[in-house]
Amino acid sequence: MTVADEQRAGETMYGADLARVYDLVHRERGKDYRAETEAVAAAARQRRPGAGRLLDIACGTGGHLRHFTELFAHVEGVELSAPMAEAARAALPGVTVHRGDMRDFRLDTTFDVVTCMFGSIGYMTSVAELGRALAVFARHLEPGGVAVVDPWWFYETFADGHVSADVVTVDGVTVSRVSHSARRGRTSHMDVHFVVAEPGAGARHFVDTHIISLFSRVEYEQAFREAGFAVEYLPDAPSGRGLFVGVRV
């Protein structure tokens, strides 16, 4: 699949409707973006004291990026979805957000830290793609720079059949989110149903479907090493899935 194909897929998976409600729902349902960014910053600076430049890959609408701006002197983002990237730029007008695919984007600069949050690395469809992405991460790091990756659930820890549900209301807009996840071979299939209701516009329903790879912890660690990292897994991260921390050697 070409980058253009992937970008079109990103438009479907992360459309304008989802970009509008994405942060609202996750923030109100208790996702602690600040705690997660603080954990990332601490892990990175333990290995690279004085780190000042950070690139957040698959930054979405900027939920983590806005907190990284308070913790690092210079931050940038990369995002595949045009609506998500536009939302991040609108929320963070002083921050550069590039459009790009984590498997092959190329910026003409390097960073002290690269991050990939919220399980986004799981959208790689194979171990080979996982390795390609991590090689791109390494290419955008200074020697001794740090990659901090929030993985999706491991093959061995995924909860088959998991259901979650939330209803939030902010500024007169009510959003319900109901999701169901199921194991299909080496992937998790998650259907997320949204109903958005607001005065004067009525209620709208849309479904966001995610097909996310279930890599094992061993597969992640091997891919990091093959991409040129010394890697460590930190199980006690705020997201609940742990963090991989790789130092470019």
Side-chain angles (χ1 to χ4, degrees), residues 3-249:
V3 172
D5 290 335
E6 286 300 319
Q7 289 176 337
R8 284 191 289 271
E11 297 294 351
T12 301
M13 181 175 65
Y14 289 134
D17 280 334
L18 180 58
R20 180 166 177 253
V21 302
Y22 184 83
D23 275 347
L24 182 154
V25 170
H26 286 294
R27 183 178 63 249
E28 295 300 318
R29 67 195 292 256
K31 184 170 180 63
D32 195 337
Y33 288 97
R34 177 177 290 278
E36 292 180 15
T37 56
E38 288 175 349
V40 167
R45 290 202 169 107
Q46 184 178 0
R47 293 154 181 84
R48 190 172 178 83
R53 291 173 51 81
L54 177 141
L55 177 67
D56 187 22
I57 299 167
C59 67
T61 58
H64 291 101
L65 198 58
R66 64 172 48 89
H67 295 293
F68 283 134
T69 63
E70 301 170 5
L71 298 169
F72 291 86
H74 178 86
V75 300
E76 298 182 24
V78 174
E79 172 55 41
L80 173 63
S81 160
M84 289 283 189
E86 289 167 5
R89 293 181 189 121
L92 301 165
V95 176
T96 298
V97 177
H98 308 271
R99 183 92 184 279
D101 185 320
M102 71 172 72
R103 292 165 301 183
D104 61 11
F105 75 88
R106 185 181 294 271
L107 307 181
D108 295 326
T109 188
T110 54
F111 299 83
D112 298 304
V113 181
V114 300
T115 61
C116 186
M117 304 297 291
F118 219 164
S120 299
I121 195 74
Y123 289 103
M124 301 300 94
T125 62
S126 65
V127 171
E129 283 195 354
L130 175 63
R132 283 171 56 191
L134 292 174
V136 172
F137 294 8
R139 188 168 68 229
H140 288 86
L141 282 170
E142 292 287 327
V146 181
V148 184
V149 175
D150 170 16
W152 186 239
W153 299 105
F154 299 148
Y155 180 82
E156 55 269 30
T157 60
F158 175 72
D160 191 16
H162 178 72
V163 173
S164 69
D166 299 276
V167 178
V168 303
T169 299
V170 177
D171 297 332
V173 179
T174 296
V175 181
S176 70
R177 177 190 184 275
V178 179
S179 70
H180 173 262
S181 300
R183 185 192 298 269
R184 298 184 186 175
R186 293 300 302 270
T187 64
S188 62
H189 283 232
M190 179 169 62
D191 290 324
V192 186
H193 292 255
F194 289 92
V195 176
V196 181
E198 53 190 314
R204 295 177 296 109
H205 169 256
F206 63 96
V207 181
D208 190 36
T209 298
H210 301 256
I211 301 174
I212 312 174
S213 294
L214 295 172
F215 300 117
S216 70
R217 175 176 167 179
V218 169
E219 287 171 328
Y220 275 109
E221 290 171 338
Q222 183 63 26
F224 267 93
R225 287 190 289 267
E226 291 179 356
F229 290 99
V231 63
E232 182 179 359
Y233 176 64
L234 308 180
D236 298 322
S239 71
R241 293 182 296 268
L243 290 172
F244 284 105
V245 183
V247 177
R248 183 187 165 192
V249 297

